Amino acid sequence: MLEELRWKTSLSATALHAAYCRARAIPPADGAMGRHLDSAADALAAELDAAEWPRLAMLEYLTALASEFDNNRDLVTRAAAKLRLPRTEAEAPRVAGGVADLEAALMRAQPNLAEELAVRSGPLREQWEARGPGMLREIGRLTEEEVVPAAAEIVVTAPYAGGAGMAHVSQNRVTVEGVLFNPLPALPETVRLAWLLSQLNADLPRYVDLLPATRRPELFAMAMAPPALAAAQEVELAMCDEPTLASAFEGWRLGADLPGDAAARVWSWWSAWLDQPAAWPVAVAALDRLLAD
């Protein structure tokens, strides 16, 4: 059961989240934001490539850790250590410079961003406090109590994609865009937030022992989508049915590398599991086999 939930905003995480979205070819919802940030994001990506560091993995770790560090070199060094990258002495200053340039581009584009983030986080936090705890309790009831973290942190960023978020398992933290409206009316952002938080215990031994390391993050994300929708239906926020799951896969960018029927397969798996429940780690491992066929 979630006992401690901390909220914060971060300018640096906003900038790096935008760079991560850019690296994943996610288009900016606001063309002006793209024009201001994309050049600096590309320059940072080029520095990562020059260092022969994994671009997406490094940008994800930088985003995850950004709210902890004021010094960009310390941030880059810590992210590189998390990924066990062999070289940092020469590469870290150049990458840190790319991060600084990206942050500067963001501040030129949105000089009042700190105040804006405070405004943007308010509605999401109010909506979460009204329905979120109930959703997490229901997710735990439907799957297993261990799936819900005891403590977590939410970092709200300015929108780049018009609605996006990441679960950073190793930091027990999620980043989520502070949108002022629901990009998918049938799927309120509070549901996305419950889904993200429900992924944070994916590194427990009970899951690590059964799920392949390379596929575990996305596999766990897909497995938690139906319980998140079922919990949302329980608190009257969304429907839990196959069309809504398909919308979630599209809106939450799930299964992009899988065949087009991935959402349908996950729905079939969920329906079968409801008929014959098994231990949740075993159920998620079964989903992995189903999607691999």
Side-chain angles (χ1 to χ4, degrees):
M1 179 177 178
L2 186 63
E3 297 175 354
E4 181 184 357
L5 184 62
R6 301 175 299 276
W7 293 76
K8 65 168 65 172
T9 60
S10 172
L11 302 178
S12 183
T14 291
L16 287 160
H17 166 71
Y20 176 79
C21 289
R22 171 77 170 169
R24 284 191 60 193
I26 298 172
D30 180 348
M33 172 75 89
R35 286 192 298 273
H36 284 106
L37 292 186
D38 286 353
S39 177
D42 290 345
L44 174 57
E47 291 291 357
L48 294 172
D49 292 345
E52 298 182 354
W53 288 354
R55 183 190 296 186
L56 281 177
M58 191 64 177
L59 287 171
E60 182 174 353
Y61 263 107
L62 288 171
T63 304
L65 294 167
S67 63
E68 295 181 27
F69 292 90
D70 294 324
N71 182 290
N72 285 327
R73 184 163 180 175
D74 290 345
L75 167 64
V76 171
T77 301
R78 177 65 66 85
K82 288 282 187 181
L83 286 170
R84 296 185 172 88
L85 299 177
R87 298 173 296 162
T88 59
E89 289 300 321
E91 292 80 5
R94 295 182 63 87
V95 174
V99 174
D101 291 344
L102 179 67
E103 293 170 338
L106 176 65
M107 292 312 299
R108 287 193 299 271
Q110 296 182 276
N112 299 317
L113 184 57
E115 294 82 359
E116 180 184 331
L117 282 174
V119 172
R120 286 183 172 277
S121 64
L124 182 60
R125 185 168 184 172
E126 291 174 5
Q127 293 159 16
W128 174 261
E129 289 172 353
R131 306 278 184 93
M135 278 193 286
L136 283 184
R137 284 193 296 271
E138 183 66 9
I139 288 172
R141 187 190 70 79
L142 288 166
T143 57
E144 60 179 6
E145 289 186 2
E146 290 87 349
V147 85
V148 179
E153 185 172 83
I154 297 169
V155 178
V156 180
T157 69
Y160 179 87
M166 285 190 287
H168 308 293
V169 174
S170 59
Q171 279 71 49
N172 245 33
R173 175 181 294 137
V174 304
T175 55
V176 64
E177 293 188 354
V179 295
L180 296 177
F181 63 91
N182 294 316
L184 297 172
L187 275 174
E189 287 298 284
T190 317
V191 183
R192 185 201 299 268
L193 189 50
W195 168 68
L196 290 170
L197 288 168
S198 73
Q199 298 171 46
L200 292 181
N201 272 351
D203 59 349
L204 291 179
R206 59 193 297 104
Y207 305 123
V208 171
D209 291 345
L210 288 179
L211 306 177
T214 56
R215 298 196 298 276
R216 188 171 66 248
E218 185 174 22
L219 179 63
F220 210 80
M222 288 188 286
M224 295 314 303
L229 294 184
Q233 180 168 282
E234 183 69 18
V235 299
E236 301 180 344
L237 268 183
M239 296 295 294
C240 182
D241 53 27
E242 188 172 349
T244 306
L245 182 64
S247 295
F249 264 61
E250 181 177 358
W252 297 345
R253 300 177 179 88
L254 281 169
D257 298 328
L258 295 173
D261 66 345
R265 290 190 182 198
V266 172
W267 182 256
S268 296
W269 162 81
W270 173 249
S271 300
W273 183 80
L274 288 175
D275 288 339
Q276 287 189 302
W280 189 243
V282 174
V284 181
L287 176 62
D288 182 40
R289 292 191 297 273
L290 175 64
L291 293 174
D293 288 342

